[in-house]
Short mmCIF file of all heavy atoms in Angstrom, two decimals:
data_model
loop_
_atom_site.label_atom_id
_atom_site.label_comp_id
_atom_site.label_asym_id
_atom_site.label_seq_id
_atom_site.Cartn_x
_atom_site.Cartn_y
_atom_site.Cartn_z
N VAL W 42 30.93 -88.18 -55.64
CA VAL W 42 31.95 -88.11 -54.53
C VAL W 42 32.99 -89.20 -54.85
O VAL W 42 32.58 -90.35 -54.92
CB VAL W 42 31.34 -88.34 -53.12
CG1 VAL W 42 32.38 -88.55 -52.06
CG2 VAL W 42 30.37 -87.16 -52.82
N PHE W 43 34.26 -88.89 -54.85
CA PHE W 43 35.20 -89.90 -55.13
C PHE W 43 36.60 -89.43 -54.53
O PHE W 43 36.88 -88.21 -54.33
CB PHE W 43 35.36 -90.25 -56.64
CG PHE W 43 35.57 -89.09 -57.59
CD1 PHE W 43 36.77 -88.70 -57.93
CD2 PHE W 43 34.44 -88.40 -58.15
CE1 PHE W 43 37.04 -87.63 -58.82
CE2 PHE W 43 34.63 -87.35 -58.99
CZ PHE W 43 35.89 -86.91 -59.30
N GLY W 44 37.49 -90.45 -54.38
CA GLY W 44 38.77 -90.18 -53.79
C GLY W 44 39.31 -91.50 -53.19
O GLY W 44 38.65 -92.56 -53.33
N GLU W 45 40.41 -91.32 -52.48
CA GLU W 45 41.07 -92.56 -51.92
C GLU W 45 40.33 -92.90 -50.58
O GLU W 45 40.09 -92.08 -49.72
CB GLU W 45 42.55 -92.22 -51.53
CG GLU W 45 43.35 -91.96 -52.81
CD GLU W 45 44.55 -91.14 -52.53
OE1 GLU W 45 44.93 -90.84 -51.41
OE2 GLU W 45 45.26 -90.76 -53.61
N ASP W 46 39.78 -94.12 -50.60
CA ASP W 46 39.04 -94.70 -49.43
C ASP W 46 37.76 -94.03 -49.00
O ASP W 46 37.30 -94.22 -47.92
CB ASP W 46 39.93 -94.61 -48.17
CG ASP W 46 41.27 -95.45 -48.39
OD1 ASP W 46 41.23 -96.50 -48.91
OD2 ASP W 46 42.32 -94.86 -48.01
N VAL W 47 37.21 -93.23 -49.85
CA VAL W 47 35.94 -92.49 -49.49
C VAL W 47 34.74 -93.42 -49.65
O VAL W 47 33.72 -93.11 -49.03
CB VAL W 47 35.71 -91.22 -50.41
CG1 VAL W 47 36.88 -90.24 -50.21
CG2 VAL W 47 35.38 -91.56 -51.82
N GLY W 48 34.85 -94.47 -50.47
CA GLY W 48 33.71 -95.35 -50.72
C GLY W 48 33.45 -96.40 -49.73
O GLY W 48 32.69 -96.16 -48.70
N ARG W 49 34.09 -97.60 -49.85
CA ARG W 49 33.81 -98.66 -48.97
C ARG W 49 34.23 -98.38 -47.58
O ARG W 49 33.43 -98.69 -46.64
CB ARG W 49 34.63 -99.87 -49.53
CG ARG W 49 34.15 -101.18 -49.04
CD ARG W 49 34.77 -102.30 -49.79
NE ARG W 49 34.93 -103.43 -48.92
CZ ARG W 49 35.81 -104.39 -49.09
NH1 ARG W 49 36.67 -104.38 -50.22
NH2 ARG W 49 35.86 -105.40 -48.16
N LEU W 50 35.37 -97.74 -47.36
CA LEU W 50 35.80 -97.43 -46.00
C LEU W 50 35.01 -96.36 -45.39
O LEU W 50 34.82 -96.29 -44.16
CB LEU W 50 37.30 -97.15 -46.01
CG LEU W 50 37.90 -96.83 -44.66
CD1 LEU W 50 38.13 -98.05 -43.86
CD2 LEU W 50 39.31 -96.09 -44.81
N GLY W 51 34.55 -95.41 -46.13
CA GLY W 51 33.84 -94.25 -45.61
C GLY W 51 34.77 -93.10 -45.25
O GLY W 51 34.37 -92.23 -44.46
N GLY W 52 36.00 -93.10 -45.77
CA GLY W 52 36.90 -92.01 -45.45
C GLY W 52 37.78 -92.32 -44.21
O GLY W 52 37.29 -93.01 -43.31
N VAL W 53 39.01 -91.83 -44.23
CA VAL W 53 39.91 -92.17 -43.16
C VAL W 53 39.46 -91.39 -41.90
O VAL W 53 39.87 -91.77 -40.72
CB VAL W 53 41.38 -91.82 -43.41
CG1 VAL W 53 41.89 -92.80 -44.43
CG2 VAL W 53 41.56 -90.44 -43.85
N PHE W 54 38.62 -90.37 -42.03
CA PHE W 54 38.02 -89.71 -40.83
C PHE W 54 36.58 -89.91 -40.72
O PHE W 54 35.91 -89.16 -40.04
CB PHE W 54 38.39 -88.23 -40.88
CG PHE W 54 39.82 -87.87 -40.67
CD1 PHE W 54 40.67 -87.51 -41.71
CD2 PHE W 54 40.41 -88.08 -39.43
CE1 PHE W 54 41.99 -87.22 -41.55
CE2 PHE W 54 41.76 -87.72 -39.24
CZ PHE W 54 42.52 -87.35 -40.30
N ARG W 55 36.06 -90.89 -41.41
CA ARG W 55 34.61 -91.31 -41.44
C ARG W 55 33.71 -90.14 -41.96
O ARG W 55 32.50 -90.20 -41.77
CB ARG W 55 34.08 -91.56 -40.01
CG ARG W 55 34.98 -92.35 -39.08
CD ARG W 55 35.44 -93.63 -39.66
NE ARG W 55 34.37 -94.46 -40.04
CZ ARG W 55 34.47 -95.35 -41.07
NH1 ARG W 55 35.54 -95.50 -41.73
NH2 ARG W 55 33.43 -96.14 -41.44
N VAL W 56 34.32 -89.25 -42.76
CA VAL W 56 33.50 -88.15 -43.28
C VAL W 56 32.57 -88.59 -44.36
O VAL W 56 31.49 -88.05 -44.53
CB VAL W 56 34.48 -87.03 -43.72
CG1 VAL W 56 33.77 -86.02 -44.55
CG2 VAL W 56 35.15 -86.36 -42.58
N THR W 57 32.96 -89.60 -45.14
CA THR W 57 32.04 -90.09 -46.18
C THR W 57 31.30 -91.34 -45.79
O THR W 57 30.75 -92.06 -46.61
CB THR W 57 32.79 -90.25 -47.52
OG1 THR W 57 33.90 -91.18 -47.25
CG2 THR W 57 33.31 -89.02 -47.97
N ASP W 58 31.27 -91.61 -44.42
CA ASP W 58 30.65 -92.83 -43.95
C ASP W 58 29.21 -93.00 -44.43
O ASP W 58 28.39 -92.07 -44.34
CB ASP W 58 30.59 -92.72 -42.43
CG ASP W 58 30.24 -94.05 -41.79
OD1 ASP W 58 30.62 -95.09 -42.35
OD2 ASP W 58 29.69 -93.96 -40.70
N GLY W 59 28.83 -94.12 -45.00
CA GLY W 59 27.46 -94.40 -45.39
C GLY W 59 27.03 -93.84 -46.70
O GLY W 59 26.00 -94.22 -47.23
N LEU W 60 27.83 -93.01 -47.38
CA LEU W 60 27.37 -92.40 -48.59
C LEU W 60 27.37 -93.42 -49.77
O LEU W 60 26.42 -93.43 -50.62
CB LEU W 60 28.26 -91.24 -48.95
CG LEU W 60 28.28 -90.09 -47.94
CD1 LEU W 60 29.15 -88.96 -48.35
CD2 LEU W 60 26.77 -89.50 -47.79
N GLN W 61 28.31 -94.35 -49.80
CA GLN W 61 28.33 -95.27 -50.95
C GLN W 61 27.11 -96.26 -50.78
O GLN W 61 26.43 -96.55 -51.75
CB GLN W 61 29.65 -96.06 -51.01
CG GLN W 61 29.74 -97.00 -52.16
CD GLN W 61 31.03 -97.75 -52.24
OE1 GLN W 61 31.37 -98.58 -51.44
NE2 GLN W 61 31.86 -97.43 -53.22
N ALA W 62 26.80 -96.64 -49.57
CA ALA W 62 25.69 -97.51 -49.31
C ALA W 62 24.38 -96.86 -49.75
O ALA W 62 23.53 -97.40 -50.28
CB ALA W 62 25.63 -97.95 -47.86
N ALA W 63 24.36 -95.50 -49.53
CA ALA W 63 23.09 -94.80 -49.82
C ALA W 63 22.95 -94.41 -51.32
O ALA W 63 21.80 -94.37 -51.80
CB ALA W 63 23.11 -93.51 -48.94
N TYR W 64 24.04 -94.11 -51.95
CA TYR W 64 23.95 -93.56 -53.32
C TYR W 64 24.59 -94.48 -54.37
O TYR W 64 24.52 -94.13 -55.53
CB TYR W 64 24.53 -92.11 -53.34
CG TYR W 64 23.74 -91.26 -52.52
CD1 TYR W 64 24.18 -90.87 -51.25
CD2 TYR W 64 22.54 -90.68 -52.99
CE1 TYR W 64 23.39 -90.13 -50.43
CE2 TYR W 64 21.77 -89.84 -52.24
CZ TYR W 64 22.21 -89.51 -50.94
OH TYR W 64 21.44 -88.78 -50.12
N GLY W 65 25.22 -95.57 -54.00
CA GLY W 65 25.71 -96.54 -54.88
C GLY W 65 27.11 -96.34 -55.33
O GLY W 65 27.61 -95.22 -55.20
N GLN W 66 27.73 -97.30 -55.92
CA GLN W 66 29.14 -97.22 -56.33
C GLN W 66 29.38 -96.34 -57.61
O GLN W 66 30.52 -96.09 -57.94
CB GLN W 66 29.67 -98.60 -56.61
CG GLN W 66 29.76 -99.47 -55.41
CD GLN W 66 30.36 -100.85 -55.60
OE1 GLN W 66 31.00 -101.06 -56.67
NE2 GLN W 66 30.05 -101.77 -54.75
N ASN W 67 28.31 -96.06 -58.25
CA ASN W 67 28.53 -95.12 -59.44
C ASN W 67 28.62 -93.70 -59.09
O ASN W 67 29.20 -92.93 -59.83
CB ASN W 67 27.36 -95.32 -60.45
CG ASN W 67 27.44 -96.65 -61.17
OD1 ASN W 67 28.53 -97.24 -61.14
ND2 ASN W 67 26.24 -97.12 -61.65
N ARG W 68 28.12 -93.39 -57.89
CA ARG W 68 28.17 -91.95 -57.41
C ARG W 68 29.05 -91.69 -56.30
O ARG W 68 29.53 -90.52 -56.12
CB ARG W 68 26.75 -91.40 -57.16
CG ARG W 68 25.84 -91.55 -58.37
CD ARG W 68 24.48 -90.77 -58.09
NE ARG W 68 24.71 -89.41 -57.78
CZ ARG W 68 23.81 -88.74 -57.05
NH1 ARG W 68 22.81 -89.25 -56.61
NH2 ARG W 68 24.09 -87.37 -56.87
N VAL W 69 29.46 -92.67 -55.60
CA VAL W 69 30.40 -92.54 -54.53
C VAL W 69 31.41 -93.67 -54.64
O VAL W 69 31.12 -94.89 -54.45
CB VAL W 69 29.72 -92.63 -53.14
CG1 VAL W 69 30.77 -92.45 -51.96
CG2 VAL W 69 28.59 -91.58 -53.01
N PHE W 70 32.67 -93.33 -55.11
CA PHE W 70 33.54 -94.45 -55.41
C PHE W 70 34.96 -94.13 -55.08
O PHE W 70 35.47 -93.01 -54.89
CB PHE W 70 33.39 -94.86 -56.91
CG PHE W 70 33.60 -93.69 -57.86
CD1 PHE W 70 34.86 -93.35 -58.34
CD2 PHE W 70 32.55 -92.89 -58.27
CE1 PHE W 70 34.96 -92.31 -59.31
CE2 PHE W 70 32.68 -91.89 -59.17
CZ PHE W 70 33.91 -91.60 -59.73
N ASP W 71 35.70 -95.28 -54.85
CA ASP W 71 37.09 -95.23 -54.55
C ASP W 71 37.97 -95.03 -55.81
O ASP W 71 37.66 -95.64 -56.90
CB ASP W 71 37.55 -96.48 -53.83
CG ASP W 71 37.03 -96.57 -52.45
OD1 ASP W 71 36.91 -95.57 -51.79
OD2 ASP W 71 36.52 -97.73 -52.11
N THR W 72 39.07 -94.34 -55.67
CA THR W 72 39.98 -94.18 -56.77
C THR W 72 41.33 -94.79 -56.48
O THR W 72 41.60 -95.06 -55.32
CB THR W 72 40.18 -92.68 -57.06
OG1 THR W 72 40.88 -92.12 -55.86
CG2 THR W 72 38.93 -91.92 -57.27
N PRO W 73 42.19 -94.93 -57.50
CA PRO W 73 43.54 -95.36 -57.19
C PRO W 73 44.31 -94.24 -56.40
O PRO W 73 43.85 -93.11 -56.30
CB PRO W 73 44.24 -95.51 -58.52
CG PRO W 73 43.06 -95.68 -59.49
CD PRO W 73 41.96 -94.81 -58.87
N LEU W 74 45.48 -94.59 -55.81
CA LEU W 74 46.21 -93.67 -55.08
C LEU W 74 47.01 -92.78 -56.13
O LEU W 74 48.15 -92.99 -56.40
CB LEU W 74 47.32 -94.34 -54.20
CG LEU W 74 46.73 -95.24 -53.10
CD1 LEU W 74 47.88 -95.83 -52.34
CD2 LEU W 74 45.84 -94.52 -52.23
N ALA W 75 46.26 -91.83 -56.75
CA ALA W 75 46.89 -91.02 -57.79
C ALA W 75 46.10 -89.69 -57.84
O ALA W 75 45.15 -89.57 -58.47
CB ALA W 75 46.72 -91.76 -59.16
N GLU W 76 46.66 -88.72 -57.08
CA GLU W 76 45.89 -87.45 -56.90
C GLU W 76 45.79 -86.65 -58.15
O GLU W 76 44.68 -86.07 -58.36
CB GLU W 76 46.59 -86.62 -55.78
CG GLU W 76 46.47 -87.20 -54.44
CD GLU W 76 47.27 -88.36 -54.07
OE1 GLU W 76 48.21 -88.62 -54.86
OE2 GLU W 76 47.20 -89.05 -53.03
N SER W 77 46.80 -86.74 -58.95
CA SER W 77 46.67 -86.11 -60.23
C SER W 77 45.55 -86.62 -61.06
O SER W 77 44.75 -85.93 -61.69
CB SER W 77 48.05 -86.16 -61.02
OG SER W 77 47.92 -85.44 -62.19
N GLY W 78 45.37 -87.95 -61.01
CA GLY W 78 44.28 -88.66 -61.72
C GLY W 78 42.90 -88.27 -61.12
O GLY W 78 41.95 -88.15 -61.81
N ILE W 79 42.91 -88.10 -59.81
CA ILE W 79 41.54 -87.77 -59.14
C ILE W 79 41.10 -86.48 -59.67
O ILE W 79 39.99 -86.33 -60.02
CB ILE W 79 41.79 -87.73 -57.59
CG1 ILE W 79 42.10 -89.21 -57.09
CG2 ILE W 79 40.57 -87.20 -57.00
CD1 ILE W 79 42.48 -89.26 -55.66
N VAL W 80 41.97 -85.39 -59.65
CA VAL W 80 41.58 -84.11 -60.04
C VAL W 80 41.34 -84.09 -61.63
O VAL W 80 40.38 -83.48 -62.12
CB VAL W 80 42.49 -82.98 -59.67
CG1 VAL W 80 42.08 -81.63 -60.09
CG2 VAL W 80 42.64 -82.95 -58.12
N GLY W 81 42.23 -84.81 -62.34
CA GLY W 81 42.03 -84.91 -63.83
C GLY W 81 40.64 -85.51 -64.16
O GLY W 81 39.98 -85.07 -65.01
N LEU W 82 40.27 -86.48 -63.44
CA LEU W 82 39.03 -87.18 -63.60
C LEU W 82 37.89 -86.15 -63.38
O LEU W 82 36.89 -86.04 -64.08
CB LEU W 82 38.82 -88.40 -62.65
CG LEU W 82 37.46 -89.07 -62.68
CD1 LEU W 82 37.24 -89.71 -63.90
CD2 LEU W 82 37.50 -90.10 -61.51
N ALA W 83 37.99 -85.30 -62.32
CA ALA W 83 37.06 -84.33 -61.91
C ALA W 83 36.89 -83.30 -63.11
O ALA W 83 35.79 -82.93 -63.44
CB ALA W 83 37.43 -83.66 -60.65
N VAL W 84 38.01 -82.90 -63.65
CA VAL W 84 37.97 -81.95 -64.74
C VAL W 84 37.17 -82.53 -65.94
O VAL W 84 36.36 -81.82 -66.54
CB VAL W 84 39.47 -81.55 -65.14
CG1 VAL W 84 39.42 -80.73 -66.45
CG2 VAL W 84 40.14 -80.77 -64.01
#
Side-chain angles (χ1 to χ4, degrees):
Chain W
V42 170
F43 52 91
E45 295 157 8
D46 301 318
V47 303
R49 198 168 149 202
L50 182 73
V53 291
F54 291 105
R55 321 302 310 148
V56 166
T57 52
D58 193 30
L60 296 179
Q61 188 177 66
Y64 296 96
Q66 294 183 18
N67 290 336
R68 295 189 63 204
V69 180
F70 53 91
D71 292 318
T72 64
L74 301 181
E76 289 77 12
S77 186
I79 293 171
V80 179
L82 175 64
V84 169

